[in-house]
Amino acid sequence: MSESAVNGVTQSKVDEEQARRAKRAALKDLNITQAGQEPSKALDSSLKRHTGLIKRMRQSLGIENRDQIIKDIDSLTLEKYVDEIVGAVAEGVLRCKTEKDVWSAVEVISALHRRFAKTFTPAIVSSLTAALAPPSRAALAALTPEQREKEDSARVARQRPVLRVCAELALVGIIRDGPDRSGGEWVMKTVRDLLSNDPSLSSLPLLLVFLKSYSRPYLGIVPPSSSKQISANAEPGTLSENATAEAAQTNGANGAFPTLFNESEELVEKEIRDRFKKMCEGYFDNVAKKLVIEHNRLQEQDRRNHEAYIRSGEIFEDRQQAYEKMTKNYEKLLASCQSLSEQLYLPMPTLKTASQKSESIQIGMSSGSSLLGGESDELTGAGGKWEDEEERRFYEEIPDLKDYVPRSVLGLEGDGDEEKDDGKEKERQEKERVEEEVRKLEEELAEMKIDTDGGVTINGKGEEVVDDADDVPTPTPGTPKESPSTTPQMAPQGPSQLLTALLARLPDATNRTIIDQAAVDFAFLNSKAARKRLVKFMTQIPKNRTDLLPHYSRLIAILNRYMPDIGNDIVAALDDEFRYLQRKKNVVKELSEVRMRNITFLSNLTKFRVVPPHVILHMFKVCLDDFSGTNVENLAMLLEGCGRFLLRSEETREPFSKMIELMRRKQSMQHFDQRQLLLLENAYYQCNPPERAARQVKERTPMELFIRHLIYDVLTKKTIDKVLKLLRKLDWTDPVVLHTLHKVFTKPWKLKFGHISLLAMLTYDLQRYHPAFSIGVVDQVLEDIRRGLETNVYSMNQRRVATIKLLGELYIYRMFSSGIIFDTFWTLVTFGHPEGRPMPGQPSPIDMPDDFFRIRLVCVLLDTVGMCFDRGSQLKKLDNFLTFFQLYVHCKEPLPMDVEFMLSDSFEAVRPKMVLFKNFEEAAVAVDEMFSVALQNAGIPTVDGDAGEDSGEESGGEDDDEEKERGVDEDEEDEQTQLDSPIDERAPSPEAVLLKSSSTHENLGPTEDDDAEFAKELAKLVTDTSGDARKVDKKTALALWDTALPPPVVRKKRNEDVDEDGGGGAESAKDPGVMNFTLFTKRGNKQQTRQIAIPAESALAVQTRTAQMQDKVEQQHLKRLVLNYEQREEAEELKALEERRRQGPIKIRLAG
């Protein structure tokens, strides 16, 4: 079809939609304005005319009766016949087939609504709602599949016209969600109820009928101007929007016709349209998934039929009928999905061909819903019957005795073709018998129901789980029923002795070759007596020799082909033993090894196809019936032994999968101990492992592989020069090569820990030729350290250790100055803590008190570079850091033994004579003194003592940053002392010129006098601010603790002393080991004060200092809040303004 023809068809559709919208809008206005009005003319109350009207309504509300019905409505009284009219209208709606009939019914109902808005309208809406109610699930469950299909077809035929009439009534204002609202919500809820809980998709035709006529008013979907061909790579859920936008854009561009309606002209609210559209798109996604599943099932069934045809030469009638029924259902679903795709303008799902379909095992496919909690009815398992190729060869590649033993010895006489035909006939009869047994078992499973206690009820009657076989006495284990011990006379040459020797060799037959040779040897000694001796020997295997059972099973499988009585007798003996063990369920420990031997032997014989499928399935069912005690272990051993084989075998897949589903459901409903749960879970996932995608191997270029080989494999102390030469020969102008080198050099955790120093040496050597590359490596290492501190992920700890080690090695080779090392040291112990000051009992989200990994990082860095800081200002700076580091360590919980040993070794290596602090209080005093000295050296006056303690702490809150700034300013001295480092053999640092230029640049800033003046003004400002805050705090505290505070006169005098000279601070400065307290006493009505010096190590002093430090942290927090308030308020206003600009229509997806 040409483009002009397509545009013409689209134009006609739009014109029709506009005409329908105009009719609906006019009728809606009429229904709203004239609802409940009394007729102006006299009305006829004739019984005959009323009866005729009701009869016509029952016949049809279609176009043929419309005029007469509306005329009678306007001329008859009708008040006494409203109930009969409601029933007649509901019945007449069912006969409206065409669009004109539906609109005629809407006009009739509107006429009645305008006359009887309060009596007729609620009754007819209630009647239509009942007509659109979804079917009862209980009623459907009682029907057969054929009856259910007929019932669904009849229901859809009844509800189709009702749904169309209700959709129109919601648009013309008769069905409404509320005042000034349309009935879109009511229609959406009705459609959703019909589509929900509908696994057979029987209500899908109703949705197709609805969308065909009402997709525009209810979903807002505009037909595109182009063809309906959907792109294969289009994303679901977006094509309807794209189609609407494309139609509007194309039509506007061509000038063919304008946009259909404005938002004010829409009959359904935009919110309802968006939700309705999302609901329909979500339903289409579910239908598409169902289509894919049914497509895969159909292909799988086709494959099975093909295999069955290859095996037997024909396809049985029942299998053929099931396949035809499945094909019919699939074609019906495919047509519905295609129609839904066209109505919603969504792409069809991709259906795999037979070559693309992956092999999978499907469990419980015929059940209505998956018992394992999945959305689909399939349970996928990975792989085939066997875990590996070796296991497959062991169980399937069985030698044929006819190739090694004469036919006469095996008892094969006559024509081979006749024997072959007889064998085929026998095999076919056996197969039919097995299928009959399996069919009975499936019927028995279908009748099973699980009660609330997890027990099994069969046919509605409770049944104690005992062996349901015959009541023949069962022999004890190891003594199966056998023939008399007398054997026929042997030949004079002694075959009995040969058989005895053969049986004696069997316990040593632990490989395929030996066991296959044993089978050939036994075939030459074949006789009835020999077979009975072999059966007796196989049933008396020692309980502790379960390792022999797979090989004995192979021997039985080889012989069973030509001596079937051996397999039958052994299976019968094992079956009897299993029944005996079921009767002895209470004997747990004594018979546990016997049970293991019995289940293991049966499992191996099952995999050799010696045990018939119905026998092993019956044993599984017996254990499942009494799902407790020893049967839990029996089930676990059965699943581990032959569960995978049964689940992937053609003849046992479906019944065994149902049993597994039943077992999983009973497992979830019953209570088991942890050991039993672990057994069942391991066994289940061993027989049906979860499907995993193949691991994607990253593809690397040859150049990238070469670089990785050089760094990770070749790099050693002896080959470092060779590696350097090869790296220099690379194309350093290629950004790909440069990026690869950068990645390799910044991931030290991929090297051996001892080779990290070699990586640093390579970086130093490459700096001479490619300085930008070395700078980039250093920057990335510092960034990785910072990122590790910010995230603190446990799985990255090994990488963080290697990165911090590389940083130390890079400093050893003069890649940067010592300032970066000290910055890293201080960052490790202060990052993430308020004001950079760790406190005991004050957790940080990224550095908890029980997290000792930062201590490990500091120790690694100390062990790497600590010996370099042994003279000059670097010695003092390292001592200051170690003092603060001890404070950080005491803020943690008690150290583990390995961390404590690492810490002591690091201190012993860098400062063997340093006296370590015993507790946090000692470390806190030393840190305060260190900060005081640092502030004095910086020219900032400190306010100490009792009276000025608050302000002293407030000014000391910045001590950490001041110390670090001072450390950075002294980097010039560091570089001078580094030249005198004890490691004399290191090459001279290439950073000397850079440091000189950096020093020159620093001299361009403020002078030292300016810095000192600024520091004095800052200290004065901080002191004044803290004094004001303290006064406010004391006024507040006075209202709460009036009797505990000194008189106002004394407080005023004390404050003045503090402002003048710091009060008792001088005494504290003279004697730093004490803390001054003011004692208030009362004699009569007079209060007196006295200064008391308390040792700084006492509990009172320590608690006071801790409380003051906590108050200081709170004050700093409040100060930041006040300073940032205005900026935060402005940012919030800007954010609110931006949100109002971007605020648009809200789209809500309705789940379900």
Side-chain angles (χ1 to χ4, degrees):
M1 184 180 294
S2 63
E3 183 177 354
S4 59
V6 172
N7 292 337
V9 173
T10 306
Q11 177 67 45
S12 63
K13 290 182 179 180
V14 173
D15 293 339
E16 292 173 0
E17 187 63 34
Q18 288 178 337
R20 285 194 291 265
R21 191 265 165 200
K23 289 195 304 182
R24 292 164 182 163
L27 188 56
K28 180 177 181 180
D29 294 338
L30 200 61
N31 290 335
I32 294 175
T33 57
Q34 298 183 10
Q37 289 185 0
E38 294 293 335
S40 58
K41 60 181 180 179
L43 301 177
D44 188 4
S45 60
S46 170
L47 177 62
K48 183 177 180 181
R49 292 190 61 188
H50 282 84
T51 305
L53 173 63
I54 294 175
K55 184 178 180 180
R56 276 191 294 272
M57 286 183 175
R58 290 185 186 279
Q59 289 177 352
S60 175
L61 295 179
I63 190 66
E64 66 273 10
N65 295 331
R66 169 187 171 276
D67 297 333
Q68 185 61 40
I69 291 176
I70 292 180
K71 180 180 178 181
D72 291 341
I73 291 173
D74 294 334
S75 60
L76 299 179
T77 56
L78 303 177
E79 285 87 358
K80 299 179 181 180
Y81 304 91
V82 172
D83 294 337
E84 289 83 356
I85 291 174
V86 169
V89 169
E91 188 174 346
V93 166
L94 299 177
R95 294 175 172 82
C96 297
K97 304 299 182 182
T98 63
E99 181 179 354
K100 293 182 179 180
D101 292 341
V102 171
W103 183 251
S104 174
V106 171
E107 289 181 322
V108 171
I109 296 174
S110 299
L112 291 169
H113 165 74
R114 290 194 293 272
R115 287 200 57 185
F116 309 104
K118 296 183 179 180
T119 56
F120 171 81
T121 303
I124 191 62
V125 171
S126 177
S127 177
L128 295 176
T129 302
L132 288 176
S136 173
R137 300 184 65 182
L140 290 178
L143 302 177
T144 63
E146 292 77 14
Q147 293 174 341
R148 186 183 308 171
E149 186 176 357
K150 292 181 180 178
E151 176 62 24
D152 287 335
S153 300
R155 176 182 61 83
V156 170
R158 290 194 310 269
Q159 291 180 341
R160 185 182 290 113
V162 179
L163 180 61
R164 296 178 66 182
V165 170
C166 288
E168 291 287 356
L169 293 178
L171 294 176
V172 299
I174 295 179
I175 297 177
R176 304 172 68 181
D177 299 328
D180 300 329
R181 288 183 63 86
S182 67
E185 183 80 21
W186 185 92
V187 174
M188 181 173 64
K189 182 178 181 301
T190 302
V191 174
R192 182 182 61 194
D193 292 341
L194 288 172
L195 300 180
S196 300
N197 299 323
D198 184 23
S200 61
L201 303 181
S202 58
S203 299
L204 180 56
L206 293 175
L207 179 62
L208 294 175
V209 170
F210 176 83
L211 292 177
K212 185 176 181 180
S213 302
Y214 305 103
S215 61
R216 174 62 189 89
Y218 281 97
L219 276 67
I221 297 179
V222 180
S225 59
S226 58
S227 174
K228 287 186 178 181
Q229 183 66 30
I230 307 298
S231 174
N233 57 1
E235 297 183 1
T238 61
L239 285 188
S240 57
E241 300 177 2
N242 296 342
T244 303
E246 178 189 355
Q249 181 179 0
T250 305
N251 298 335
N254 297 338
F257 50 85
T259 306
L260 288 182
F261 316 120
N262 297 327
E263 185 60 34
S264 59
E265 298 176 354
E266 294 288 347
L267 299 176
V268 179
E269 294 81 4
K270 189 176 191 310
E271 175 192 359
I272 303 298
R273 297 201 307 271
D274 293 339
R275 290 167 55 194
F276 211 153
K277 183 169 67 174
K278 294 297 183 184
M279 185 191 77
C280 293
E281 290 175 350
Y283 182 76
F284 173 78
D285 292 340
N286 294 333
V287 173
K289 293 178 183 177
K290 176 83 171 176
L291 178 65
V292 172
I293 293 173
E294 293 298 325
H295 176 76
N296 294 339
R297 287 182 57 190
L298 184 63
Q299 286 196 341
E300 180 67 16
Q301 186 64 35
D302 183 72
R303 183 184 63 82
R304 294 178 185 175
N305 291 346
H306 182 67
E307 293 177 355
Y309 179 80
I310 293 176
R311 287 197 306 268
S312 59
E314 63 178 343
I315 299 178
F316 297 106
E317 185 178 356
D318 55 347
R319 183 185 289 269
Q320 183 67 26
Q321 292 177 354
Y323 180 77
E324 291 175 356
K325 184 177 179 180
M326 186 183 297
T327 304
K328 180 180 177 181
N329 294 336
Y330 169 76
E331 291 174 352
K332 182 178 178 181
L333 179 60
L334 178 61
S336 299
C337 190
Q338 289 175 344
S339 301
L340 195 60
S341 171
E342 293 176 357
Q343 295 296 335
L344 296 174
Y345 302 101
L346 295 176
M348 285 288 292
T350 302
L351 301 178
K352 296 181 180 179
T353 61
S355 60
Q356 295 173 334
K357 185 178 179 303
S358 59
E359 293 294 328
S360 62
I361 305 300
Q362 300 175 348
I363 291 182
M365 192 176 298
S366 59
S367 58
S369 61
S370 176
L371 300 178
L372 300 179
E375 292 183 358
S376 62
D377 299 334
E378 60 183 58
L379 180 68
T380 304
K385 300 177 185 177
W386 316 110
E387 294 183 2
D388 50 36
E389 182 64 20
E390 181 65 25
E391 185 181 17
R392 186 197 65 79
R393 288 198 297 267
F394 182 79
Y395 285 102
E396 288 190 346
E397 295 181 1
I398 299 176
D400 191 351
L401 290 178
K402 189 171 58 175
D403 300 334
Y404 303 94
V405 181
R407 297 172 59 88
S408 59
V409 175
L410 295 176
L412 300 178
E413 298 178 356
D415 190 6
D417 295 337
E418 295 179 1
E419 294 174 2
K420 187 175 181 180
D421 295 339
D422 293 341
K424 282 187 176 182
E425 183 67 23
K426 186 176 181 180
E427 182 181 355
R428 183 172 181 178
Q429 294 176 358
E430 177 68 18
K431 183 177 180 180
E432 291 178 354
R433 186 176 69 86
V434 170
E435 289 180 353
E436 182 65 25
E437 293 289 340
V438 171
R439 189 177 297 109
K440 291 180 181 180
L441 181 61
E442 290 180 1
E443 295 175 357
E444 189 173 358
L445 279 175
E447 295 173 356
M448 280 188 178
K449 295 180 181 178
I450 298 180
D451 57 19
T452 55
D453 297 331
V456 176
T457 303
I458 302 179
N459 295 331
K461 299 180 181 180
E463 176 185 357
E464 290 294 331
V465 181
V466 296
D467 190 23
D468 55 354
D470 51 8
D471 296 331
V472 178
T474 304
T476 58
T479 59
K481 55 185 179 179
E482 54 181 274
S483 60
S485 58
T486 58
T487 57
Q489 292 292 329
M490 294 296 174
Q493 52 266 39
S496 177
Q497 289 79 4
L498 295 176
L499 181 60
T500 302
L502 175 62
L503 297 179
R505 294 199 312 268
L506 284 181
D508 298 328
T510 55
N511 59 57
R512 285 195 301 169
T513 305
I514 298 177
I515 207 70
D516 293 349
Q517 184 60 41
V520 174
D521 295 342
F522 181 84
F524 283 102
L525 302 174
N526 180 28
S527 66
K528 184 175 182 181
R531 292 195 295 271
K532 287 191 173 295
R533 284 187 63 185
L534 179 63
V535 170
K536 181 179 180 181
F537 177 82
M538 290 296 175
T539 55
Q540 295 178 349
I541 301 173
K543 295 181 292 186
N544 58 349
R545 292 302 306 271
T546 55
D547 60 304
L548 297 173
L549 297 179
H551 302 284
Y552 286 0
S553 300
R554 182 178 174 89
L555 173 64
I556 296 170
I558 296 172
L559 298 175
N560 188 64
R561 185 171 183 178
Y562 299 99
M563 308 168 197
D565 54 336
I566 294 179
N568 295 335
D569 290 345
I570 292 177
V571 171
L574 292 175
D575 190 19
D576 292 340
E577 186 179 48
F578 177 79
R579 297 171 188 270
Y580 168 79
L581 293 173
Q582 284 296 306
R583 294 190 179 94
K584 298 294 182 180
K585 290 191 292 287
N586 296 329
V587 184
V588 179
K589 294 184 179 179
E590 291 79 0
L591 297 178
S592 60
E593 293 182 347
V594 179
R595 290 190 181 89
M596 181 181 296
R597 181 192 63 187
N598 179 264
I599 298 297
T600 306
F601 209 170
L602 284 168
S603 300
N604 282 280
L605 289 174
T606 300
K607 290 190 284 188
F608 280 110
R609 303 181 185 276
V610 177
V611 178
H614 68 278
V615 174
I616 193 68
L617 291 176
H618 175 74
M619 292 179 180
F620 197 96
K621 172 186 165 297
V622 169
C623 296
L624 194 58
D625 289 345
D626 185 15
F627 196 31
S628 61
T630 57
N631 280 336
V632 175
E633 300 178 2
N634 292 341
L635 279 173
M637 288 187 290
L638 278 173
L639 287 176
E640 292 178 357
C642 59
R644 186 187 183 104
F645 174 81
L646 294 174
L647 188 59
R648 287 158 176 78
S649 295
E650 183 70 27
E651 61 271 14
T652 58
R653 175 182 303 173
E654 293 186 5
F656 191 68
S657 64
K658 295 177 183 178
M659 286 186 173
I660 290 181
E661 286 183 329
L662 186 60
M663 183 199 75
R664 296 288 285 178
R665 188 167 64 178
K666 294 185 70 173
Q667 178 184 343
S668 64
M669 297 175 65
Q670 292 181 219
H671 175 72
F672 297 103
D673 57 33
Q674 193 65 28
R675 183 186 66 85
Q676 291 175 328
L677 284 176
L678 189 61
L679 281 175
L680 292 174
E681 291 295 326
N682 289 344
Y684 171 75
Y685 286 112
Q686 185 169 344
C687 77
N688 186 44
E691 186 173 304
R692 293 192 180 121
R695 185 176 179 180
Q696 297 294 333
V697 179
K698 185 176 181 180
E699 296 184 0
R700 305 181 188 275
T701 61
M703 181 57 68
E704 185 176 0
L705 292 174
F706 175 70
I707 295 174
R708 291 168 61 89
H709 172 68
L710 286 180
I711 303 300
Y712 297 153
D713 302 330
V714 179
L715 182 60
T716 59
K717 289 183 179 179
K718 296 181 179 180
T719 61
I720 187 170
D721 293 335
K722 177 182 177 181
V723 171
L724 176 62
K725 291 180 181 179
L726 291 174
L727 290 178
R728 288 183 57 196
K729 292 180 179 180
L730 297 177
D731 184 9
W732 285 79
T733 59
D734 188 356
V736 177
V737 173
L738 202 59
H739 178 67
T740 303
L741 287 169
H742 180 79
K743 287 197 303 181
V744 171
F745 272 74
T746 55
K747 293 181 179 180
W749 55 86
K750 294 189 175 182
L751 278 78
K752 296 180 180 178
F753 193 75
H755 290 178
I756 295 180
S757 59
L758 303 178
L759 189 65
M761 188 183 301
L762 273 180
T763 308
Y764 168 74
D765 291 334
L766 289 173
Q767 183 189 25
R768 184 180 306 173
Y769 312 101
H770 308 284
F773 171 77
S774 299
I775 294 174
V777 171
V778 174
D779 288 345
Q780 186 63 47
V781 169
L782 293 173
E783 180 66 25
D784 291 342
I785 294 173
R786 180 78 174 196
R787 186 186 303 112
L789 292 175
E790 293 173 351
T791 56
N792 194 27
V793 180
Y794 175 78
S795 59
M796 307 295 289
N797 284 357
Q798 186 175 4
R799 298 186 177 187
R800 295 171 65 186
V801 170
T803 306
I804 207 78
K805 172 71 173 178
L806 178 60
L807 181 70
E809 295 292 344
L810 289 173
Y811 172 73
I812 293 293
Y813 288 99
R814 303 290 186 86
M815 294 298 299
F816 45 81
S817 64
S818 62
I820 294 179
I821 290 294
F822 282 105
D823 284 347
T824 305
F825 272 132
W826 284 96
T827 303
L828 289 174
V829 296
T830 60
F831 185 78
H833 294 277
E835 302 298 327
R837 185 70 176 263
M839 296 291 293
Q842 180 178 327
S844 173
I846 56 177
D847 188 21
M848 300 300 290
D850 58 348
D851 186 3
F852 309 100
F853 188 69
R854 290 195 186 184
I855 299 177
R856 293 179 180 272
L857 294 180
V858 172
C859 291
V860 170
L861 193 53
L862 280 176
D863 295 341
T864 306
V865 302
M867 70 286 190
C868 299
F869 307 132
D870 57 352
R871 64 184 68 183
S873 62
Q874 293 180 342
L875 173 65
K876 180 62 178 175
K877 291 206 295 186
L878 183 60
D879 290 341
N880 290 341
F881 168 74
L882 293 178
T883 302
F884 192 88
F885 181 47
Q886 294 183 66
L887 173 72
Y888 174 81
V889 172
H890 286 295
C891 292
K892 297 287 186 180
E893 294 181 357
L895 302 180
M897 186 177 298
D898 57 335
V899 178
E900 187 175 359
F901 287 165
M902 178 184 292
L903 188 64
S904 61
D905 291 343
S906 298
F907 275 102
E908 183 69 23
V910 295
R911 295 294 184 269
K913 297 181 180 180
M914 175 177 283
V915 179
L916 304 181
F917 302 120
K918 297 180 180 179
N919 50 43
F920 174 78
E921 289 76 15
E922 294 182 3
V925 171
V927 169
D928 289 342
E929 293 179 358
M930 178 184 71
F931 285 162
S932 298
V933 173
L935 290 174
Q936 291 176 3
N937 293 338
I940 302 176
T942 58
V943 183
D944 300 323
D946 182 24
E949 197 153 0
D950 289 341
S951 61
E953 285 181 356
E954 188 146 326
S955 63
E958 306 286 331
D959 288 345
D960 184 24
D961 296 335
E962 294 290 334
E963 175 66 14
K964 289 191 286 186
E965 289 177 7
R966 185 179 63 84
V968 175
D969 291 338
E970 293 176 357
D971 282 346
E972 299 177 32
E973 298 181 9
D974 297 343
E975 296 304 321
Q976 297 299 327
T977 56
Q978 280 183 0
L979 296 177
D980 300 328
S981 176
I983 306 179
D984 297 328
E985 65 276 7
R986 291 180 300 185
S989 173
E991 294 276 326
V993 177
L994 296 178
L995 288 175
K996 182 176 180 181
S997 62
S998 175
S999 175
T1000 305
H1001 180 70
E1002 288 178 358
N1003 292 335
L1004 297 178
T1007 62
E1008 295 181 0
D1009 295 338
D1010 295 338
D1011 290 338
E1013 184 67 18
F1014 173 79
K1016 291 179 182 179
E1017 293 295 328
L1018 176 62
K1020 182 178 179 181
L1021 176 61
V1022 172
T1023 303
D1024 295 341
T1025 305
S1026 62
D1028 295 340
R1030 182 172 63 256
K1031 291 177 183 179
V1032 174
D1033 292 340
K1034 289 181 178 179
K1035 288 181 181 180
T1036 306
L1038 181 60
L1040 300 175
W1041 308 98
D1042 191 16
T1043 59
L1045 292 179
V1049 177
V1050 178
R1051 293 201 307 273
K1052 183 176 180 181
K1053 180 179 180 181
R1054 183 168 177 266
N1055 290 337
E1056 291 175 355
D1057 295 338
V1058 170
D1059 293 337
E1060 291 176 1
D1061 58 4
E1067 296 178 7
S1068 298
K1070 294 178 181 178
D1071 190 1
V1074 299
M1075 179 182 289
N1076 290 334
F1077 286 83
T1078 302
L1079 177 65
F1080 294 92
T1081 59
K1082 187 173 184 182
R1083 181 175 298 175
N1085 294 329
K1086 184 178 180 181
Q1087 291 184 350
Q1088 297 179 353
T1089 62
R1090 186 174 60 176
Q1091 298 291 329
I1092 297 179
I1094 301 297
E1097 294 82 3
S1098 63
L1100 177 61
V1102 172
Q1103 293 176 0
T1104 302
R1105 182 181 296 276
T1106 303
Q1108 290 172 349
M1109 296 177 73
Q1110 293 177 353
D1111 291 342
K1112 178 200 127 199
V1113 172
E1114 184 177 358
Q1115 289 176 2
Q1116 292 293 329
H1117 180 65
L1118 292 176
K1119 185 185 298 183
R1120 285 197 304 271
L1121 290 178
V1122 172
L1123 293 177
N1124 294 336
Y1125 175 79
E1126 183 176 358
Q1127 182 179 0
R1128 185 169 62 252
E1129 185 179 20
E1130 182 179 358
E1132 291 177 354
E1133 292 178 356
L1134 291 175
K1135 184 178 180 181
L1137 180 60
E1138 186 67 20
E1139 290 180 355
R1140 285 197 298 271
R1141 289 179 179 177
R1142 295 182 178 180
Q1143 188 174 11
I1146 301 176
K1147 295 183 180 181
I1148 302 176
R1149 178 183 290 274
L1150 181 60

